């Protein structure tokens, strides 16, 4: 293996960055997601791919990995940040607002699918411990791939998107006990299983409590200090310290590093710094997750596919059919129309990144033997690669079923809206309202919109969007879509006087709720402010400001500096505009 000129991992880092900068974008051009791109790239440059030919062509040693362990420590960071980001995206408010689907449909799907797959694995000769882990991990679907598909297909805010995302939220929570089980089963190889389980869950509970208490005492003051310094590098440093520090704490307690990262993310998800943290670590997110998937791909031995190709294909199809049938049946039982339930079932039919993670950890701990482990890795990876096709097929199946259904699905029902909380209410779904909704969808924030254009509402409802016919100027109509439980109300009304009256009515009925109102100009903005709006957005002034911002960026001014200048102008009340 070539030397790294005195710098550890230099060659590995260079190869990884080449893959991230060139190979994965090439995969993206043919609609292969980055997650699957890194998996495929890992297979290609791994010891079972081009690495096989290193002895015949020595130059390949510069671009391949013949020893996966050489970058295992780097991949560990990928796992840590994968779990940190998942914890950050979970919040008690979001879980509670979607409790029927999360706790009902999600937990039922994980439990039933896990029992069926685990039983099949045990019947085929797996040990009890291995069967439990296989069932639990293969019951989970791929959050990374499915959410990306929902965002690209603009389905995240639809009934299908909400149901799928709810199940994925519960599956993400299920990762914690599964990781504890892996550690406990590994420790129990020479002793009592129940003692190992008790020790594992006991230590995990103590670590979680310690991280929570310490986090409540230390984290908020630390982040406030970093925020007051107005230096992004300090903020990023504290974020990285939090994730890695919590991982080190659980690692020192004999638990998974990933568990500590997950708990740290969950803790920060309830703070006011959550969104800034997400933005700051966004550049690291894809790369660090890519490291994990790259190393998983390197561990896949394609000779297993050659030796057991038909059996692997049959297992992939069996997994997809089993999970689709179970999820569809449960979704139907929890009140989703059959077209919607079938679409959700097909979307969640694959195995996920945690199946890959748990199988890898189980192989390293000796719980699952190498041969069956390679088989399972291939089944999981191939099922994930089929997800984009399943998403397209699911949408077509759903449309076909709706056309032949006596009662087609028309967006979320009033009962589902009644269970929502922490969502955003948009009054007026014209050009501005739709732009706001698009941003909310990108950030996976629930919303409900009202509009008086019956034809527009009918069209949007047929596309499963959460839009209802109603007068957004009236507080009693807003109350019907959960305004009292909303995190914000957005008014995009055209009529100036009616907008002011609406702001006064909302402020009188719900004094604490934030109101974001669109205004035509600065004079109208002042009137809306006086009526009680939290923030007004004058269209003419904002469009002028945005034009200036694009000019500055075109002249080479960094985006952060441009945003700072724009915020300064806004703070001065758009003085000069």
């Amino acid at each position: 293996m070539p030397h790294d000129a005195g710098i550890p991992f230099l060659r590995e880092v260079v190869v990884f960055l080449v893959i991230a900068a060139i190979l994965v974008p090439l995969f993206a051009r043919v609609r292969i997601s980055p997650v699957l791109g890194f998996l495929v790239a890992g297979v290609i440059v791994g010891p079972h791919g081009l690495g096989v030919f290193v002895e015949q062509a020595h130059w390949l040693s510069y671009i391949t990995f013949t020893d996966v362990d050489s970058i295992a420590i780097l991949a560990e960071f990928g796992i840590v940040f994968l779990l940190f980001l998942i914890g950050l995206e979970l919040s008690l408010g979001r879980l509670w607002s979607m409790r029927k689907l999360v706790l009902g449909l999600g937990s039922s799907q994980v439990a039933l699918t896990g029992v069926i797959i685990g039983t099949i694995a045990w019947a085929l000769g797996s040990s009890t411990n291995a069967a439990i882990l296989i069932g639990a991990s293969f019951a989970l679907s791929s959050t990374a791939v499915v959410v990306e598909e929902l965002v690209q297909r603009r389905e995240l805010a639809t009934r299908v998107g909400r149901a799928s995302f709810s199940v994925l939220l519960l599956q993400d929570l299920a990762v914690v006990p599964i990781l504890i089980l892996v550690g406990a089963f590994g420790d129990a190889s020479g002793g009592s299983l129940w003692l190992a389980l008790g020790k594992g869950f006991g230590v995990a509970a103590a670590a979680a409590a310690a991280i929570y208490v310490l986090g409540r005492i230390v984290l908020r003051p630390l982040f406030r200090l970093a925020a007051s310094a107005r230096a992004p590098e300090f903020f990023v440093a504290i974020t990285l310290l939090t994730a890695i520090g919590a991982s080190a704490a659980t690692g020192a307690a004999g638990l998974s590093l990933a568990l500590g990262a997950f708990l740290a993310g969950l803790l920060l998800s309830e703070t006011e710094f959550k969104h800034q943290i997400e933005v700051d670590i966004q550049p690291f997110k894809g790369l660090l997750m890519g490291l994990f998937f790259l190393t998983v791909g390197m561990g896949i031995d394609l000779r297993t596919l050659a030796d057991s190709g038909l059996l692997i294909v049959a297992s992939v199809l069996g997994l997809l059919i089993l999970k689709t049938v179970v999820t569809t049946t449960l979704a139907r039982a929890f009140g989703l129309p059959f077209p919607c339930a079938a679409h959700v079932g097909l979307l969640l039919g694959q195995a996920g990144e945690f199946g890959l993670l748990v199988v890898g950890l189980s192989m390293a701990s000796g719980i699952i033997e190498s041969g069956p482990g390679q088989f399972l890795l291939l089944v999981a990876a191939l099922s994930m690669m089929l997800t984009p096709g399943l998403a397209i097929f699911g949408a077509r199946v759903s449309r076909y079923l709706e056309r032949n259904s006596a009662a087609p699905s028309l967006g979320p029902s009033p009962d589902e809206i009644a269970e929502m909380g922490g969502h955003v209410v948009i009054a007026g779904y014209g050009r501005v309202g739709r732009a706001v909704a698009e941003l909310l969808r990108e950030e996976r924030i629930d919303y409900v919109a009202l509009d008086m254009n019956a034809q527009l509402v009918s069209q949007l409802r047929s596309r499963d969007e959460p839009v209802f016919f109603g007068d957004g100027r009236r507080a009693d109509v807003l109350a019907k879509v959960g305004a009292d439980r909303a995190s914000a109300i957005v008014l995009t009304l055209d009529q100036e006087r009616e907008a002011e009256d609406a702001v006064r009515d909302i402020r009188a009925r719900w004094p604490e709720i934030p109101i974001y109102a669109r205004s035509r100009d600065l004079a109208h903005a002042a009137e809306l402010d006086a009526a009680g709006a939290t923030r007004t957005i004058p269209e003419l002034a904002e469009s002028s400001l945005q034009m200036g911002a694009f000019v500055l960026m075109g002249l080479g001014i960094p985006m952060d500096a441009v945003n700072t200048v724009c915020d300064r102008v806004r703070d001065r009340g758009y003085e000069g505009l």
Side-chain angles (χ1 to χ4, degrees):
M1 180 182 295
H3 293 289
D4 294 339
I7 303 176
F9 307 116
L10 177 61
R11 182 185 67 87
E12 288 83 357
V13 170
V14 170
V15 173
F16 169 68
L17 292 176
V18 168
I19 291 171
I22 299 174
L23 198 56
V24 172
L26 288 176
F27 285 136
R29 292 190 64 128
V30 291
R31 293 264 308 155
I32 296 178
S33 76
V35 168
L36 302 181
F38 278 112
L39 266 176
V40 173
V43 174
I44 293 172
V45 303
H48 309 297
L50 293 177
V52 173
F53 306 103
V54 166
E55 291 185 4
Q56 289 80 11
H58 183 69
W59 63 270
L60 286 175
S61 63
Y62 292 94
I63 61 170
T64 58
F65 298 89
T66 55
D67 180 13
V68 179
D69 294 336
S70 64
I71 62 165
I73 189 169
L74 295 177
E76 193 76 35
F77 279 101
I79 298 171
V80 163
F81 277 90
L82 175 64
L83 270 294
F84 177 71
L85 288 164
I86 286 172
L88 194 62
E89 290 183 353
L90 288 173
S91 69
L92 296 178
R94 174 176 284 180
L95 290 171
W96 183 249
S97 69
M98 306 169 76
R99 57 193 176 278
K100 179 180 177 181
L101 291 175
V102 173
L103 301 178
L105 176 58
S107 58
S108 301
Q109 185 274 334
V110 170
L112 183 57
T113 310
V115 167
I116 294 173
I117 294 176
T119 302
I120 293 173
W122 178 77
L124 292 175
S126 296
S127 67
T128 301
N129 291 358
I132 291 172
L133 292 177
I134 293 169
S137 59
F138 274 65
L140 311 186
S141 306
S142 176
T143 300
V145 178
V146 173
V147 170
E148 183 180 355
E149 284 296 318
L150 289 171
V151 170
Q152 287 184 354
R153 298 177 61 81
R154 300 168 63 86
E155 293 176 343
L156 195 55
T158 65
R159 176 181 279 186
V160 169
R162 279 177 53 79
S164 302
F165 191 60
S166 298
V167 175
L168 292 170
L169 282 178
L170 193 284
Q171 291 181 354
D172 289 344
L173 281 176
V175 171
V176 175
I178 294 173
L179 288 175
I180 296 172
L181 282 176
V182 174
F185 289 162
D187 289 342
S189 56
S192 168
L193 172 61
W194 292 109
L195 183 62
L197 282 174
K199 176 186 174 184
F201 280 96
V203 172
I211 289 173
Y212 178 79
V213 172
L214 190 62
R216 299 289 290 184
I217 296 172
V218 175
L219 277 187
R220 269 197 167 93
L222 268 179
F223 276 97
R224 289 195 186 108
L225 179 64
S228 64
R230 295 187 177 276
E233 59 271 23
F234 298 153
F235 205 86
V236 173
I238 291 179
T239 300
L240 297 176
L241 175 63
T242 302
I244 297 172
S247 299
T250 53
L255 301 168
S256 165
L257 296 176
L259 178 60
F262 178 85
L263 293 173
L266 197 61
L267 187 62
L268 290 175
S269 72
E270 298 299 321
T271 70
E272 64 270 30
F273 305 106
K274 170 186 175 179
H275 299 298
Q276 185 62 45
I277 292 170
E278 288 179 329
V279 171
D280 285 342
I281 64 174
Q282 188 67 31
F284 304 101
K285 175 183 176 181
L287 288 175
L288 290 169
M289 286 176 59
L291 264 177
F292 164 63
F293 289 109
L294 188 72
T295 52
V296 169
M298 290 179 194
I300 294 176
D301 190 346
L302 292 179
R303 289 173 296 186
T304 305
L305 182 60
D307 295 339
S308 309
L310 288 177
L311 185 57
I312 288 173
V313 170
S315 299
V316 171
L317 292 176
L319 175 70
L320 294 174
I321 292 170
L322 170 63
K323 293 188 70 174
T324 297
V325 170
V326 170
T327 306
T328 300
T329 303
L330 290 173
R332 190 74 189 91
F334 277 87
L336 271 68
F338 184 60
C340 175
H343 194 173
V344 173
L346 285 164
L347 265 176
L348 302 179
Q350 78 291 124
E353 50 269 18
F354 293 113
L356 298 169
L357 172 61
V358 171
V359 170
L361 292 174
S362 300
M363 290 169 65
S365 302
I367 303 170
I368 297 177
E369 295 179 0
S370 177
Q374 285 292 333
F375 184 92
L376 292 169
L377 286 175
L378 276 168
V379 170
L382 290 174
S383 71
M384 289 173 66
M385 291 178 184
L386 294 174
T387 302
L390 288 173
I392 296 171
F393 180 62
R396 291 178 179 174
V397 168
S398 179
R399 286 195 295 269
Y400 174 80
L401 293 173
E402 283 188 1
R403 283 197 302 268
N404 293 275
S405 173
S409 170
L410 294 174
S413 67
D415 288 341
E416 289 175 305
I417 298 299
E419 292 182 354
M420 291 175 66
H423 57 297
V424 175
V425 175
I426 303 173
Y429 206 65
R431 172 177 50 84
V432 177
R434 273 175 278 185
V436 172
E438 178 67 22
L439 294 176
L440 294 173
R441 276 195 296 267
E442 289 286 338
E443 289 297 317
R444 306 173 203 172
I445 297 172
D446 289 331
Y447 69 89
V448 180
L450 293 168
D451 200 273
M452 292 292 286
N453 185 332
Q455 184 177 2
L456 173 66
V457 171
S458 178
Q459 291 173 353
L460 295 170
R461 294 281 289 168
S462 68
R463 298 207 299 262
D464 235 12
E465 294 199 34
V467 184
F468 292 84
F469 180 81
D471 189 349
R473 298 168 297 183
R474 296 174 53 183
D476 54 344
V477 175
L478 292 170
K480 293 295 183 182
V481 292
D484 57 319
R485 304 181 303 278
S487 58
I489 295 176
V490 179
L491 293 176
T492 70
L493 307 174
D494 287 323
Q495 298 82 5
E496 295 185 12
R497 191 58 53 199
E498 292 174 352
E500 294 166 32
D501 292 341
V503 170
R504 288 192 187 92
D505 290 346
I506 294 168
R507 182 55 68 223
R509 184 157 180 174
W510 301 295
E512 302 299 325
I513 195 165
I515 304 171
Y516 299 91
R518 162 204 180 192
S519 65
R520 288 187 177 276
D521 50 34
L522 293 174
H524 185 213
E527 293 173 352
L528 290 171
D529 287 337
T534 307
R535 185 69 185 257
T536 53
I537 298 87
E539 278 195 298
L540 294 177
E542 270 298 322
S543 61
S544 303
L545 194 60
Q546 289 299 314
M547 174 68 78
F550 283 120
V551 171
L552 290 176
M553 285 189 284
L555 294 173
I557 308 299
M559 184 180 292
D560 287 344
V562 172
N563 289 336
T564 300
V565 171
C566 291
D567 287 341
R568 208 180 298 145
V569 173
R570 292 186 184 101
D571 292 341
R572 292 201 304 261
Y574 299 92
E575 180 184 324
L577 300 183

